[in-house]
Amino acid sequence: MSESKIVICPACASANRVPVEKLGLGGTCGRCHAPLFQAAPLTLTAANFDAHAGRGDLPLLVDFWAEWCGPCRQMAPAFAAAARELEPRMRLGKLDTEAESAIAARYAIRSIPTMILFKGGREVARQSGAMPASAIVGWARGLI
Ligand SMILES: [Zn+2]
């Protein structure tokens, strides 16, 4: 049997078992048929955060941001570009700290943008301050 990974659907947060050699080959969710990888960060909310951070096998890199934060808006295209490079080895998501303040409080987010890398539901690294795409990719790759 080939090795497989549990990939959480970006659309419906269902768990999908995907053979490693098929990761990134355009697979779709068995439940809702959305593409499992969309080459873009997904929107994290209270409804899907724990599934993506803890139920899947892919590391989750979260950009904690807010609309009023200039550096966050500046970093948004860099984070989106990083998602295109880091999928399918990693999932990238954005968490609006205003809309989802309970999750921001859970991780004691004091300055934004802050990026946190989760593996198996646990925080393994954090970095505050805006970064260009190449630096995000280099930092994240060094952690997995
Ligand atoms: Zn789905």
Side-chain angles (χ1 to χ4, degrees):
M1 232 175 86
S2 65
E3 195 190 342
S4 61
K5 292 207 181 285
I6 301 294
V7 176
I8 305 301
C9 172
C12 76
S14 295
N16 287 262
R17 185 173 288 281
V18 182
V20 167
E21 67 272 14
K22 290 192 174 161
L23 279 175
L25 291 181
T28 56
C29 174
R31 182 161 158 212
C32 78
H33 308 296
L36 289 177
F37 292 98
Q38 306 184 341
L42 58 87
T43 298
L44 293 165
T45 65
N48 67 5
F49 185 90
D50 290 336
H52 284 283
R55 276 197 3 241
D57 287 332
L58 301 181
L60 174 70
L61 179 61
V62 182
D63 172 19
F64 291 85
W65 73 288
E67 186 61 45
W68 51 261
C69 159
C72 298
R73 291 200 308 272
Q74 274 178 8
M75 194 177 85
F79 196 74
R84 291 193 289 275
E85 290 210 39
L86 291 167
E87 287 186 1
R89 292 182 62 199
M90 195 179 282
R91 177 71 79 195
L92 274 69
K94 294 173 70 77
L95 185 108
D96 182 333
T97 55
E98 296 281 301
E100 303 293 344
S101 55
I103 295 173
R106 195 201 298 176
Y107 296 102
I109 303 299
R110 290 194 183 81
S111 69
I112 50 173
T114 286
M115 285 182 293
I116 298 183
L117 182 73
F118 295 91
K119 276 189 204 172
R122 280 211 294 268
E123 173 177 346
V124 293
R126 125 175 359 209
Q127 171 85 41
S128 291
M131 286 159 70
S134 58
I136 297 169
V137 169
W139 177 69
R141 282 202 177 130
L143 296 166
I144 58 168

